[in-house]
Amino acid sequence: MSITLFAALPLLAGLCGAAPATADATVNKVVVIGLDGTMYKKIQEAKAPTLLKLASEGTLGQTSIAPHTTISGPSWATVLTGVWDTKHGIYDNNFTADPFAKYPSVFTQLETANSNLKTESIASWDKIAIIAGSGDKHADVNIATAGPANDPTEAKLDAATADASAAAVTNDAPDFLFTHLDQVDEAGHGHGGASSEYLDAVKRVDTEVAKIVAAVDARAKAHPNEKWNIMVTADHGHKPGGGHGGQSADETANFLITRGPSFKAGATNSKNSLVDVTPTALALLGVKGTTAFDGKSVIDNSGPTPPSTGSFGIDLPGTGSGNGSISDDATELTIPTDQN
């Protein structure tokens, strides 16, 4: 079985067709890193250096997402729309683009507000591409990484995703990039959240996050007018014996790391969670959201007003095709599906 995904050609060429910013223009950039099935307490237990450093340099939110459904489809839909499952109506991994007509993704909202913004999605789980490709206006670049052979831990899959994401930061400098890494969830299903294999997966995924962070920091240093912000979150946790979908403390545990000039360093917040990602990204990029968000912007408002690309309003109809239509400058990729 396969699904057809679409990746815009500009990624391959290093261009996305948007008019370049002037040399002196100060703009925000946003990178969101999704770590499937990852619990922050296990990041601490694994002493994962990159993720712990990001948390210390920014604001760390830890909370429970109960009673939200602790399954990947509902949770990544919430990350990328800013509304809970009770609104978007996705409760499992068998979903289509239809719900995103009423609750458009962050990609649709950004592209509708300002088509010059460069938006990209590069994910290890192919169903992220359904979300990123939904709507008449969608992600400029939408890639599901092809799973390599002989990769039982998904370490190779995530390495390929991280490499592509780091290259996108370096070459494309997208205004908004979402990337998804899957191997921790794979370890949770195979061995349980209390296993050494789960901790090993956390350590491995930390090295992949490090590639993306290094690319962001190098790009920021080379282009001082670009103010780069990183957010890291997860969709759910795992039971000690493995699995998720219930309402236990381990399954509903959630975290949100926000690091960048718009966030307070070394701060903690017991309320920030995955539902805040889209409202925060839109606020950073000067876009007013189209929906009544359940989440909120978590920008630190105690300091100076963060730079942005300007303030853009959006007026979307209440219904849409939600058919993942593509522009003329896109190329088609066929990616095998797998079960998350």
Side-chain angles (χ1 to χ4, degrees):
M1 177 181 179
S2 66
I3 65 173
T4 301
L5 309 180
F6 300 95
L9 288 175
L11 178 67
L12 306 178
L15 298 171
C16 283
T22 61
D24 296 329
T26 300
V27 294
N28 266 334
K29 303 283 186 175
V30 180
V31 174
V32 178
I33 303 172
L35 304 180
D36 212 292
T38 303
M39 295 177 281
Y40 191 77
K41 69 178 182 179
K42 295 299 181 177
I43 291 173
Q44 294 173 309
E45 188 176 339
K47 297 181 173 60
T50 303
L51 291 164
L52 292 175
K53 187 170 186 286
L54 282 174
S56 68
E57 293 174 345
T59 297
L60 171 64
Q62 292 191 79
T63 189
S64 168
I65 56 173
H68 174 79
T69 306
T70 56
I71 295 176
S72 293
S75 289
W76 293 124
T78 291
V79 169
L80 294 172
T81 62
V83 302
W84 292 116
D85 53 2
T86 50
K87 283 188 179 177
H88 59 60
I90 296 172
Y91 293 99
D92 56 33
N93 291 335
N94 298 312
F95 61 92
T96 68
D98 291 344
F100 307 104
K102 184 173 182 181
Y103 296 103
S105 77
V106 59
F107 303 100
T108 296
Q109 295 191 54
L110 290 172
E111 292 292 340
T112 301
N114 179 7
S115 61
N116 286 328
L117 292 173
K118 294 185 284 188
T119 61
E120 304 191 10
S121 175
I122 305 173
S124 288
W125 190 38
D126 57 10
K127 291 195 175 181
I128 297 296
I130 297 174
I131 306 173
S134 65
D136 292 329
K137 296 186 178 180
H138 42 72
D140 292 314
V141 172
N142 186 12
I143 292 177
T145 308
N150 301 317
D151 186 29
T153 66
E154 294 191 332
K156 295 177 182 178
L157 175 67
D158 280 353
T161 297
D163 288 344
S165 298
V169 169
T170 301
N171 299 324
D172 298 348
D175 298 288
F176 179 83
L177 168 66
F178 177 76
T179 186
H180 166 280
L181 304 173
D182 200 55
Q183 64 185 292
V184 178
D185 185 61
E186 184 71 14
H189 282 293
H191 304 281
S195 67
S196 61
E197 289 87 352
Y198 185 94
L199 285 181
D200 289 343
V202 172
K203 294 173 185 176
R204 289 195 306 270
V205 86
D206 187 82
T207 65
E208 304 306 334
V209 173
K211 296 177 184 177
I212 302 168
V213 173
V216 166
D217 291 346
R219 177 82 196 190
K221 183 176 180 181
H223 301 268
N225 64 305
E226 297 174 0
K227 305 303 179 184
W228 286 84
N229 299 271
I230 296 175
M231 291 188 272
V232 185
T233 194
D235 52 345
H236 54 73
H238 264 279
K239 293 183 290 187
H244 55 85
Q247 294 294 300
S248 70
D250 282 339
E251 292 165 280
T252 60
N254 189 247
F255 71 92
L256 176 61
I257 297 170
T258 52
R259 190 210 75 169
S262 299
F263 305 104
K264 186 179 295 185
T268 59
N269 189 297
S270 62
K271 296 181 180 179
N272 296 356
S273 77
L274 57 83
V275 76
D276 302 317
V277 169
T278 284
T280 303
L282 294 181
L284 286 167
L285 296 172
V287 170
K288 183 179 179 180
T290 64
T291 63
F293 289 129
D294 293 320
K296 64 188 182 305
S297 169
V298 299
I299 292 173
D300 174 26
N301 291 317
S302 65
T305 301
S308 80
T309 54
S311 180
F312 303 95
I314 313 173
D315 184 16
L316 284 181
T319 60
S321 64
N323 59 3
S325 59
I326 60 170
S327 58
D328 293 336
D329 61 345
T331 184
E332 178 180 307
L333 303 176
T334 300
I335 309 295
T337 61
D338 60 1
Q339 180 65 41
N340 185 276

